[in-house]
Amino acid sequence: KALHKNTGSFAIRLVNGTGVCDGRLEIFHKESWGTVCDDSWDLPDANVVCRQLQCETAVNAITPVSYGPGTGHIWLDDVHCQGNESFLWNCTHQEWGQHDCRHKEDVGVNCTGFKILRLTNGCSGQLQVFYNNSWGSICANKMDETTAMIICLELGCGTLTSTIHEEVSNLDPDPKWLDNVKCRGHETSIWQCPSSPLGKNTCTRSEVAHFSCSEPTDLRLVGETNNCSGRVEVKYGDTWGTVCDDDWDLKDVQVVCRQLLCGEAVSAKLEFGGGSGVIWLNKVKCRGTETHLWDCQHEPLGKNDCEHKEDAGVNCTDNQDVRLMDGGRACEGRVEVFYNEEWGTVCDDYWDLNDAVVVCRQLGCGDALLAPTFAHFGEGAGKIVLDDVSCTGEESALNMCASRQWGSSNCNHKEDASVVCSGRTLIPCSGRLEVFHQSVCEANFDQMAAEVVCRELKCGAPKQFGGGMFGRGSDSVLLRKVQCVGDETQIINCISPNSTADSCTRRNHVGIVCVPYRLVNGSNSCSGRVEFYYNGQWGTVCDHYWDLQDANVFCNQIGCGYAIKAPGQARFGEGHGEIWRDNLQCEGNEADLTKCPVLDYGREECTHRNDAGIICSGEFPQILTPFSLFSLCLVQNFGVRLYGGPSRCEGWVEVYYNGIWVKVATQSWSYRDASVVCRQLQCGSRTQTPNSSEYMKRNRTLCLKGFECLGNEKHLGNCSHPQEDECRKNIDAAVACTDYFALRLVDGRGICDGRLEIFHNGSWGTVCDDSWDIPDANVVCRQLQCEAAPNILTSVSYGPGSGYIWLDEVHCQGNESSLQNCGHQTWGQHDCKHKEDVGVNCTGKTVLRLTNGCSGQLQVFYNNSWGSVCANGMDKTTTTMICQELGCGNLSSSITDESSRLDPDPKWLDNVKCRGHESSIWQCPSSPWGKNKCSMNEVAAFTCWAALTSSFENHCPQRDFFKP
């Protein structure tokens, strides 16, 4: 909640911060909120703001969009306060609304004493306050009903419903932040009430204030035929009312579904119609773990500016619904049933394809392909709910099939049943195609026609089409040929009036599946620029925060295995239109990218130069069993992963095997095997004893054992061929890599601009700005292969980081090859806070690309623009190195001169000629940057083999992985 102070027609507030006295500064003037430019902004100006808001002294005057850019007017610029003014507008400044700024220059303010209040059980419990970066108690001395009533109102919890009594604190440690709080009755916030100074009292652990406020007493869903979907209504007193949809999202829905015992959250639907009467709740912000909806943060009861057309709704699974767990994608996995308020499994006795057909239909997952038994996707937990299931295949839900009595079985979890379905049907974007109520023959339909159909239906792009996919159509068949060029807006524009189509049988009637996503300019169907179709147009994804976890979700979503790389900076060329997704923060287990949370903090302007791309493993053929992962000899570093630990360099060892991730048994596992895993993951090669008791666990039935590495291999594929083994409890291999050191710049405008972060001891952390100067920044820029640092940015210019602050008091000479070679305090020792995280701005990063992904003209991003690399002096050795650096395998064509596609086109490089021992093109001799006589028609163009489609013999060591 923003804290604002109103004086007449003016008001100020701080928004998007971590508390009520921390955030972007906004001013209310001429009936609208606007921002303040950071030109000339300093600590006296911030102190006036803090005093006006009745916060404490300002500790920082925070600039360049530390709390994100605002919107609307920029009301003030060039503010100059003495520091003793009562109001900000009493300071000197330019005329209202006059400025030369953009919203990325909106100023922020951090006052030291931001305070967040809570009762430990939502609207009841012990009274606590977050202050000075920790939670502490408020004691009951002198507190009366008037004071408690104001607290109830401030927390949005109605009125006081109990007496105030003292309890022993449930915090440990427990700073007693406040005591002797006694309001007089006219205050609107506890912070306006008299009290002892913060942190200065003689309160003991047994004197913590405890009381209860009123809260809603019931919850229901209205407007649907079942009790687990509908418009959300809450009961307060004797009156039912609705919930406004402001800030309503899936985390709020999770709480509703759990509270109503309705299984899992499906969607935050708003289409259940408007209610009537009072709107009780607004701006609900749940973490997803609360017991009741009213335990979540929300505006005071009944306070809102909403209409009933904004009433929130939810869709949950019902109490006997089905889910699939631990599969490689959304429509496969172990079958689990929600019954008697908990999830349980299904025994595989008599389990067959008819049973799987019903499950796939119930989940909207298309056709049943397999009905695996013997815990194929791992053993479940809890009760075995169903046994002896016998479906005919015609039932609409699993609970309609014949079976033993629910909850009764003679099985164990090694017999858990599973299904593999073809995939979700995206009605109305999939089905059998009909034109003028006539079916279309498969032989009369091609990719161009499929693209036109999906575009006409506003369904995106074709994923799959073919005869008989959705059953047989009618006897009426389109007799004219369908001949599309590809740019038609309707399929009827493709029908040739003077042609006759070939005859076909009903089993060849074409069906099509359209999907709202695609990959563009890649070397195959599982690589390219990521694009989404929304609101009738294609748009791209911004590469801010784009990483392998996001890429893994998308690879899984499109049926392309797992992510090998997540390139940004328009690696596959710049897209057009909207940029639909930005600042994604996927956990990695979401069904698709639209389910991933989006980080609101630190949002910056994104252009198509930041378009995200992806390279997926692809769905590898299984003819190379029993160990297709190693037969493919993945020299890339993602055939293995570490799961459940605090970072990607620590956790349980899992290997991608026969299309699923499996665990590794500790039997015969050694430190040499662990060293290879660390090297393969680019996490160094040294290991330490893993703290596996802290790792997240999950069940698997299949394990691998017997790698028997020597310790110097580059990846597990070079070690001995492992054997399958049944997983046993508490014998899983874990690895903690220790000596991996890396740098990155994040939250900036590019890969050479941002907050400095260091990967050390298995996790990313920041660097304190104490003593930081240009020589330090130059070492960082050189290490990242950026240019010299023209600027060092401190005071959270890119927002505060999180986690460890690894380095403080860094002192570089400027000629070191790595930041870790500079003088500094002991790792992890500092006297800093994250508001002091240092940022670095290097002038430019040299980014290389071929215009069509792994083929086309060679271009480089330098000095903030794309330019060409010319062919003069370039030979096969040089282009082979470029192909490998781009992850595109080896050279597969000659080098040709072409006319540049760029306009304007700076010729950044010429006479590039590598000698063969270099690891990067940037180490090869060339003419100076931008200084050459290259012409428009001398741009280098060539084609590489894509890394994922290159032949095994080009990449695999000469050995037999299947030899016993």
Side-chain angles (χ1 to χ4, degrees):
K1 302 176 184 177
L3 178 65
H4 65 270
K5 189 68 176 177
N6 196 345
T7 57
S9 59
F10 299 103
I12 63 173
R13 66 183 181 186
L14 299 177
V15 299
N16 280 7
T18 54
V20 291
C21 291
D22 170 46
R24 182 179 65 248
L25 175 60
E26 295 190 353
I27 295 183
F28 190 80
H29 174 63
K30 288 189 175 179
E31 302 303 318
S32 67
W33 288 99
T35 61
V36 177
C37 182
D38 64 11
D39 292 349
S40 305
W41 188 264
D42 57 18
L43 212 54
D45 309 326
N47 275 326
V48 172
V49 171
C50 292
R51 184 185 309 110
Q52 186 174 344
L53 289 173
Q54 297 182 0
C55 298
E56 298 185 35
T57 305
V59 292
N60 208 352
I62 300 175
T63 56
V65 293
S66 300
Y67 300 98
T71 57
H73 295 285
I74 298 176
W75 282 128
L76 292 182
D77 190 14
D78 289 323
V79 177
H80 293 280
C81 300
Q82 299 298 315
N84 56 4
E85 293 85 353
S86 301
F87 304 105
L88 186 64
W89 36 86
N90 293 342
C91 305
T92 60
H93 54 77
Q94 288 197 31
E95 292 295 322
W96 287 86
Q98 289 190 8
H99 61 87
D100 58 355
C101 306
R102 291 184 292 177
H103 277 296
K104 67 180 183 180
E105 301 170 79
D106 290 342
V107 77
V109 176
N110 178 16
C111 309
T112 58
F114 77 84
K115 301 173 283 282
I116 303 174
L117 203 63
R118 74 178 180 189
L119 287 166
T120 51
N121 298 321
C123 286
S124 65
Q126 294 185 6
L127 184 60
Q128 298 174 350
V129 61
F130 189 82
Y131 171 74
N132 199 24
N133 290 320
S134 69
W135 285 101
S137 295
I138 299 179
C139 291
N141 298 314
K142 294 188 178 179
M143 189 176 292
D144 57 15
E145 289 188 1
T146 300
T147 305
M149 179 70 76
I150 288 175
I151 293 170
C152 289
L153 291 171
E154 186 168 354
L155 291 174
C157 286
T159 60
L160 183 69
T161 60
S162 76
T163 58
I164 306 158
H165 63 273
E166 298 177 346
E167 282 193 354
V168 176
S169 172
N170 55 21
L171 290 174
D172 185 19
D174 177 28
K176 313 300 181 301
W177 287 133
L178 269 183
D179 195 12
N180 299 314
V181 183
K182 189 169 184 179
C183 302
R184 292 153 294 192
H186 61 270
E187 299 90 349
T188 58
S189 170
I190 184 180
W191 311 119
Q192 300 168 356
C193 303
S195 70
S196 57
L198 278 155
K200 297 181 180 180
N201 58 69
T202 58
C203 177
T204 67
R205 281 187 65 84
S206 60
E207 296 179 301
V208 175
H210 181 286
F211 55 87
S212 299
C213 310
S214 61
E215 58 186 20
T217 57
D218 205 354
L219 179 71
R220 68 183 181 187
L221 300 177
V222 179
E224 282 290 286
T225 56
N226 64 71
N227 294 326
C228 290
S229 61
R231 182 178 63 252
V232 182
E233 294 191 354
V234 295
K235 186 178 183 181
Y236 181 66
D238 295 324
T239 305
W240 285 97
T242 61
V243 178
C244 182
D245 67 6
D246 290 353
D247 298 328
W248 188 256
D249 61 18
L250 205 60
K251 289 184 179 179
D252 309 323
V253 178
Q254 288 172 354
V255 175
V256 172
C257 295
R258 185 185 306 111
Q259 184 175 347
L260 292 175
L261 303 178
C262 279
E264 302 274 53
V266 176
S267 67
K269 286 190 174 182
L270 309 175
E271 299 90 18
F272 296 104
S276 60
V278 67
I279 299 175
W280 280 128
L281 294 180
N282 186 29
K283 294 187 177 178
V284 178
K285 293 182 180 179
C286 300
R287 298 185 302 275
T289 58
E290 294 86 353
T291 304
H292 305 99
L293 184 64
W294 40 86
D295 295 338
C296 306
Q297 179 183 338
H298 57 81
E299 290 285 285
L301 286 166
K303 179 182 178 182
N304 60 77
D305 56 356
C306 304
E307 301 176 14
H308 279 294
K309 64 181 180 181
E310 302 172 78
D311 286 344
V314 305
N315 184 13
C316 315
T317 60
D318 63 33
N319 277 7
Q320 288 186 347
D321 219 328
V322 175
R323 69 180 183 185
L324 301 179
M325 298 298 294
D326 289 343
R329 55 194 180 91
C331 286
E332 66 181 26
R334 181 178 61 255
V335 180
E336 294 190 356
V337 178
F338 194 80
Y339 171 70
N340 202 21
E341 302 181 11
E342 64 179 334
W343 287 100
T345 62
V346 177
C347 181
D348 62 11
D349 291 350
Y350 303 110
W351 187 258
D352 60 17
L353 201 62
N354 284 338
D355 308 318
V357 165
V358 175
V359 172
C360 294
R361 179 187 300 119
Q362 185 174 354
L363 294 174
C365 276
D367 298 326
L369 303 180
L370 297 171
T373 55
F374 295 107
H376 180 79
F377 291 101
E379 294 180 22
K383 291 183 178 180
I384 299 175
V385 176
L386 281 177
D387 192 8
D388 294 345
V389 176
S390 181
C391 302
T392 65
E394 301 298 323
E395 297 88 347
S396 60
L398 192 62
N399 61 6
M400 299 176 66
C401 299
S403 69
R404 277 195 182 201
Q405 183 177 350
W406 283 64
S408 171
S409 80
N410 59 358
C411 308
N412 59 49
H413 284 296
K414 292 181 180 179
E415 301 170 83
D416 286 343
S418 304
V419 300
V420 177
C421 311
S422 62
R424 295 194 184 280
T425 54
L426 302 176
I427 299 172
C429 292
S430 63
R432 188 178 61 254
L433 177 64
E434 291 188 357
V435 181
F436 301 127
H437 303 291
Q438 295 176 312
S439 298
V440 178
C441 185
E442 180 181 12
N444 194 23
F445 198 77
D446 59 14
Q447 177 71 23
M448 292 291 192
E451 290 178 3
V452 173
V453 169
C454 292
R455 182 164 57 247
E456 180 179 352
L457 294 174
K458 292 183 168 46
C459 286
K463 180 180 181 182
Q464 187 180 4
F465 64 90
M469 283 179 57
F470 293 92
R472 302 177 182 183
S474 64
D475 291 328
S476 179
V477 178
L478 185 67
L479 298 179
R480 300 296 179 186
K481 284 188 175 181
V482 179
Q483 297 174 318
C484 297
V485 177
D487 58 358
E488 294 87 351
T489 58
Q490 295 180 300
I491 192 67
I492 60 173
N493 297 334
C494 302
I495 298 174
S496 175
N498 299 316
S499 63
T500 303
D502 297 331
S503 61
C504 65
T505 65
R506 291 173 62 186
R507 72 175 58 135
N508 291 324
H509 293 172
V510 75
I512 185 170
V513 176
C514 306
V515 291
Y517 49 77
R518 66 184 181 186
L519 292 174
V520 180
N521 282 351
S523 58
N524 56 39
S525 62
C526 288
S527 66
R529 182 177 64 248
V530 179
E531 294 193 352
F532 280 89
Y533 191 80
Y534 176 71
N535 203 24
Q537 59 179 315
W538 287 101
T540 61
V541 174
C542 181
D543 64 7
H544 292 170
Y545 294 96
W546 180 253
D547 58 19
L548 277 166
Q549 285 180 287
D550 307 322
N552 264 322
V553 172
F554 191 71
C555 288
N556 182 62
Q557 178 181 349
I558 64 177
C560 278
Y562 55 90
I564 287 179
K565 287 187 177 180
Q569 298 291 302
R571 158 74 180 277
F572 296 97
E574 296 181 15
H576 305 283
E578 296 289 337
I579 299 175
W580 290 127
R581 307 290 293 176
D582 189 5
N583 288 10
L584 291 168
Q585 292 286 290
C586 300
E587 295 293 332
N589 54 5
E590 293 85 355
D592 60 72
L593 280 186
T594 63
K595 304 296 190 300
C596 296
V598 176
L599 185 66
D600 291 326
Y601 181 81
R603 296 181 74 98
E604 298 184 30
E605 183 177 354
C606 199
T607 70
H608 284 296
R609 290 179 178 176
N610 302 105
D611 285 343
I614 201 169
I615 299 175
C616 307
S617 64
E619 285 300 316
F620 296 126
Q622 298 299 307
I623 58 173
L624 299 172
T625 56
F627 206 24
S628 61
L629 167 70
F630 290 92
S631 64
L632 283 169
C633 183
L634 290 183
V635 296
Q636 303 288 351
N637 50 329
F638 295 98
V640 63
R641 70 183 181 186
L642 298 177
Y643 169 81
S647 75
R648 72 175 189 87
C649 291
E650 181 178 357
W652 303 111
V653 182
E654 292 191 347
V655 173
Y656 196 74
Y657 171 68
N658 281 350
I660 61 173
W661 288 99
V662 299
K663 294 193 292 189
V664 174
T666 54
Q667 183 180 356
S668 75
W669 183 259
S670 71
Y671 73 92
R672 291 184 292 271
D673 304 326
S675 179
V676 174
V677 168
C678 292
R679 185 179 299 113
Q680 181 172 347
L681 292 174
Q682 296 183 0
C683 292
S685 58
R686 291 197 305 166
T687 64
Q688 65 183 15
T689 302
N691 186 18
S692 58
S693 63
E694 301 295 327
Y695 299 166
M696 185 188 310
K697 294 184 178 181
R698 60 180 168 195
N699 291 324
R700 299 285 195 206
T701 56
L702 180 63
C703 285
L704 298 175
K705 67 177 182 180
F707 287 91
E708 298 179 358
C709 300
L710 297 175
N712 56 4
E713 295 89 348
K714 290 185 177 179
H715 52 87
L716 284 180
N718 294 131
C719 302
S720 297
H721 172 56
Q723 299 88 42
E724 293 184 4
D725 189 28
E726 183 180 348
C727 291
R728 297 176 179 84
K729 189 175 182 181
N730 298 327
I731 62 164
D732 304 330
V735 168
C737 311
T738 60
D739 64 349
Y740 175 56
F741 177 87
L743 301 182
R744 68 182 181 187
L745 298 176
V746 299
D747 289 358
R749 293 165 295 176
I751 50 184
C752 287
D753 171 49
R755 181 178 63 253
L756 175 60
E757 295 191 352
I758 294 178
F759 192 87
H760 171 69
N761 201 27
S763 65
W764 286 100
T766 61
V767 177
C768 183
D769 63 12
D770 292 349
S771 305
W772 188 265
D773 56 18
I774 286 288
D776 308 326
N778 276 329
V779 172
V780 171
C781 293
R782 184 185 309 110
Q783 188 171 349
L784 291 173
Q785 296 183 358
C786 299
E787 297 184 42
N791 197 7
I792 53 172
L793 301 173
T794 58
S795 298
V796 291
S797 301
Y798 299 95
S802 58
Y804 293 101
I805 298 177
W806 280 130
L807 291 183
D808 189 16
E809 301 289 354
V810 177
H811 294 280
C812 300
Q813 299 298 318
N815 56 4
E816 294 86 351
S817 60
S818 172
L819 190 66
Q820 65 188 133
N821 296 335
C822 301
H824 54 76
Q825 286 193 23
T826 303
W827 285 89
Q829 289 190 6
H830 61 85
D831 58 355
C832 307
K833 297 180 181 179
H834 279 296
K835 66 185 180 183
E836 301 171 79
D837 290 342
V838 76
V840 177
N841 177 17
C842 310
T843 55
K845 169 77 173 179
T846 48
V847 182
L848 203 64
R849 73 178 180 188
L850 288 167
T851 50
N852 297 321
C854 286
S855 64
Q857 294 185 4
L858 183 60
Q859 298 174 348
V860 62
F861 189 80
Y862 172 75
N863 201 22
N864 291 321
S865 68
W866 285 101
S868 295
V869 179
C870 290
N872 299 313
M874 190 175 292
D875 58 13
K876 186 176 180 179
T877 300
T878 304
T879 49
T880 297
M881 182 170 293
I882 293 169
C883 288
Q884 292 173 350
E885 185 164 351
L886 291 174
C888 290
N890 292 321
L891 183 70
S892 66
S893 75
S894 59
I895 309 159
T896 60
D897 293 1
E898 288 188 357
S899 296
S900 173
R901 298 180 183 177
L902 294 172
D903 184 20
D905 177 29
K907 311 300 182 302
W908 286 132
L909 275 181
D910 197 11
N911 299 310
V912 183
K913 190 169 185 179
C914 301
R915 292 155 292 192
H917 62 267
E918 300 90 348
S919 59
S920 169
I921 184 179
W922 312 120
Q923 299 169 357
C924 302
S926 70
S927 57
W929 284 89
K931 296 181 180 180
N932 57 70
K933 297 181 181 179
C934 178
S935 66
M936 283 285 290
N937 58 0
E938 294 179 301
V939 175
F942 52 90
T943 299
C944 313
W945 283 110
L948 294 178
T949 58
S950 58
S951 62
F952 298 151
E953 58 268 21
N954 286 343
H955 289 282
C956 291
Q958 297 302 310
R959 57 176 296 178
D960 184 0
F961 288 110
F962 307 108
K963 187 175 181 179

